[in-house]
Amino acid sequence: MKINFIDLQAQYQRYKEEIDKEIHEVLDSSGYIMGPKVSELEANLANFVGVKHAIACSSGTDALILALMAIGIQPGDEIITTPFTFIATAETIAFLGAKPVFVDIDEQSYNIDPALIEAKITDKTKAIMPVSLFGQISDMDAVNAVAKKHNLKVIEDAAQSFGAVYKDVKSCNLSDLACTSFFPAKPLGCYGDGGAVFTNDDTLAETLRIILNHGQTKRYVHSHVGINGRLDAIQAGVLNVKLKYYDEEITKREAIAHRYSADLKNVIVPHVPDNSRSVWAQYCIRVKDRDAMLKKCSDKGVPTGVYYPIPLHLQEVFHALGYKEGDFPITEEVSKDIMALPMSAFLSEEEQNYIIEVVNG
Ligand SMILES: *Cc1c(COP(=O)(O)O)cnc(C)c1O
């Protein structure tokens, strides 16, 4: 049996006719960047989330840069986030000359522990950037409460959580700004790079649209320093098709996750509170001897991943921030024994039976 970590090919085959049609329409139109398909996508995304503005852009990384630029982040500003995330979360902060200030995670959700945020706030703090890791939203009520008390902005790094729900509200509608990614391996992926920024604030939305196109207000009239953060029409076409089936796919991912959690033995399975719906960007377990488990899986043809083996505060690139081993005990502990199993809406029952047998065996 050949098992894929994420079965993108099965998904393409399922929607092939519609996706090919969208792509060919773009090829025939010769309008390759932005344009009507991107506007249609933005309307569809905003409608799906229930948020006022969705601004499509070139990647999740650029979405984070755009959000930070839109709130005027300057060199020397501090942004509070978690060290247990993909590099882009803190990299974008550092890219703008600001300082990522890390806070340890909660051991159940692997998301930022809101109780530890307040102690890290200084007069330079401008924003909090919680990450909704592995598809599960951070405790946004608690994060927003600290932010409100200290007059800080909140940017949800929702690169892994588009479609997730927290207390009846969808990810990307729970903060001043939210950023997602449509990288192919994300729960909702396109066929290249793509992303989006979300907000209910009209002024921020307008600023974001200007910044993502070189700070341009009218053709060759520039009011801001911006970037080339535009989305391709082909990617928008692919996403417009996939979004129609996304809810169905989330339900399938959920069923697969619940089955793993019910049948796996002697491992720590993910915890999702009753008031939350995860989109299962990753299905991660914690195991006693990870090297042995990874080898067993690899020997038996079960692909796995490790998210994330080196916490950000211990990465060479952030050496100058002055963190050391022991600073974030929960992050460090989890990074040593966590691993991800295959997850996609197209994982068959037979494949999942085999994976469970191998992990339990
Ligand atoms: C994937 C990811 C990003 C970056 O998204 P890209 O589209 O790959 O640039 C940012 N943050 C997190 C948590 C991610 O998982």
Side-chain angles (χ1 to χ4, degrees):
M1 195 173 339
K2 167 86 180 78
I3 298 174
N4 293 295
F5 189 65
I6 303 172
D7 202 342
L8 293 176
Q9 192 50 233
Q11 189 195 43
Y12 172 54
Q13 291 308 322
R14 164 82 169 73
Y15 312 133
K16 184 174 174 12
E17 221 170 283
E18 283 180 85
I19 288 177
D20 288 0
K21 181 168 169 279
E22 287 285 325
I23 292 174
H24 281 104
E25 276 173 23
V26 175
L27 296 179
D28 290 337
S29 78
S30 309
Y32 301 130
I33 293 178
M34 308 246 282
K37 289 212 190 284
V38 173
S39 304
E40 188 190 331
L41 174 67
E42 290 179 333
N44 291 340
L45 291 172
N47 184 46
F48 183 91
V49 170
V51 69
K52 197 162 176 197
H53 303 281
I55 293 111
C57 67
S58 42
S59 69
T61 303
D62 287 341
L64 291 169
I65 290 174
L66 290 164
L68 290 164
M69 287 175 82
I71 59 168
I73 293 306
Q74 297 292 320
D77 290 346
E78 295 178 3
I79 316 285
I80 292 174
T81 190
T82 138
F84 193 58
T85 176
F86 180 58
I87 185 72
T89 311
E91 180 189 38
T92 50
I93 296 167
F95 178 77
L96 291 172
K99 184 175 164 189
V101 174
F102 296 120
V103 165
D104 209 354
I105 54 169
D106 165 76
E107 192 158 6
Q108 298 253 297
S109 65
Y110 310 134
N111 287 328
I112 196 165
D113 184 344
L116 303 177
I117 293 176
E118 202 156 22
K120 297 292 184 79
I121 296 173
T122 72
D123 56 5
K124 293 185 179 145
T125 310
K126 292 287 161 27
I128 307 172
M129 193 186 277
V131 180
S132 297
L133 203 71
F134 304 149
Q136 183 180 341
I137 301 172
S138 289
D139 185 355
M140 294 303 287
D141 281 356
V143 172
N144 283 327
V146 188
K148 191 165 176 214
K149 185 170 161 198
H150 294 273
N151 200 21
L152 306 174
K153 294 279 190 227
V154 177
I155 302 173
E156 184 195 8
D157 181 342
Q160 302 183 9
S161 65
F162 184 77
V165 180
Y166 168 90
K167 300 182 183 175
D168 298 325
V169 182
K170 285 216 172 98
S171 179
C172 301
N173 193 17
L174 288 154
S175 49
D176 299 292
L177 289 154
C179 302
T180 200
S181 164
F182 303 122
F183 179 76
K186 306 287 178 181
L188 178 66
C190 56
Y191 290 164
D193 278 308
V197 189
F198 302 83
T199 183
N200 284 303
D201 184 307
D202 297 341
T203 313
L204 282 177
E206 196 186 328
T207 308
L208 286 161
R209 288 191 187 286
I210 293 170
I211 298 173
L212 85 75
N213 194 15
H214 296 295
Q216 179 172 279
T217 47
K218 274 189 277 184
R219 201 175 178 94
Y220 304 129
V221 179
H222 305 267
S223 58
H224 292 64
V225 170
I227 63 173
N228 172 359
R230 300 173 304 233
L231 184 70
D232 295 354
I234 286 179
Q235 304 310 335
V238 171
L239 287 165
N240 280 327
V241 174
K242 285 206 198 179
L243 188 58
K244 288 195 288 182
Y245 304 102
Y246 187 48
D247 221 28
E248 209 176 286
E249 287 201 6
I250 298 171
T251 305
K252 287 188 186 152
R253 299 171 81 94
E254 255 180 330
I256 289 164
H258 292 159
R259 169 99 204 284
Y260 271 142
S261 293
D263 292 355
L264 289 171
K265 307 260 186 307
N266 304 317
V267 302
I268 298 175
V269 298
H271 172 79
V272 180
D274 288 343
N275 61 17
S276 281
R277 183 188 203 197
S278 174
V279 290
W280 301 101
Q282 306 296 348
Y283 183 89
C284 289
I285 54 174
R286 295 180 65 192
V287 297
K288 282 201 194 71
D289 184 348
R290 185 172 66 192
D291 285 344
M293 182 64 88
L294 291 173
K295 180 166 189 310
K296 180 168 78 174
C297 288
S298 155
D299 287 349
K300 305 215 157 146
V302 172
T304 54
V306 174
Y307 310 97
Y308 293 91
I310 306 173
L312 299 193
H313 68 288
L314 300 177
Q315 294 282 356
E316 186 184 347
V317 59
F318 292 133
H319 191 76
L321 294 175
Y323 292 105
K324 59 186 185 317
E325 201 150 348
D327 283 346
F328 304 107
I330 299 177
T331 293
E332 290 170 28
E333 195 184 302
V334 173
S335 70
K336 290 190 179 93
D337 64 11
I338 199 158
M339 58 177 279
L341 297 177
M343 166 56 75
S344 86
F346 296 86
L347 190 72
S348 72
E349 198 179 328
E350 193 194 0
E351 289 172 321
Q352 199 180 10
N353 287 341
Y354 179 73
I355 295 163
I356 292 167
E357 193 187 302
V358 168
V359 174
N360 284 344

